[in-house]
Amino acid sequence: MSDPAIHFDREVDARGLNCPLPILRAKKALAELQAGQVLKVTATDPGSKRDFEAFSRQTGHELLRLDELEREWTFYLKHR
């Protein structure tokens, strides 16, 4: 049984981009969202898992879910 889909308000495709670009794109997109809205980010940089976990801790934006499928990571961040 698969997890229920997470509703998101905005999506950033950061596939093919290396650190720090996925975080910078996410930061810019989050700045345009309201509190409680959700951003979906897809990245292929292996370091992005660590980067987004740290970003969430440092900024207070909640990392709702992290999915990994064949060297592609999908992050769901809830704006604080």
Side-chain angles (χ1 to χ4, degrees), residues 37-63:
Q37 289 187 305
V38 176
L39 174 67
K40 175 184 176 183
V41 182
T42 306
T44 52
D45 180 1
S48 63
K49 179 177 185 263
R50 180 190 65 241
D51 294 343
F52 275 94
E53 288 168 344
F55 176 76
S56 177
R57 281 193 307 275
Q58 293 168 0
T59 63
H61 298 300
E62 183 182 355
L63 182 57

Side-chain angles (χ1 to χ4, degrees), residues 11-70:
E11 184 173 8
V12 170
D13 183 354
R15 289 177 286 200
L17 301 177
N18 292 320
C19 179
L21 290 175
I23 290 289
L24 293 175
R25 298 257 172 109
K27 186 176 179 181
K28 181 179 179 187
L30 282 164
E32 298 171 2
L33 294 178
Q34 302 296 316
Q37 289 187 305
V38 176
L39 174 67
K40 175 184 176 183
V41 182
T42 306
T44 52
D45 180 1
S48 63
K49 179 177 185 263
R50 180 190 65 241
D51 294 343
F52 275 94
E53 288 168 344
F55 176 76
S56 177
R57 281 193 307 275
Q58 293 168 0
T59 63
H61 298 300
E62 183 182 355
L63 182 57
L64 297 174
R65 192 163 100 197
L66 161 59
D67 296 330
E68 180 179 350
L69 180 63
E70 298 178 10

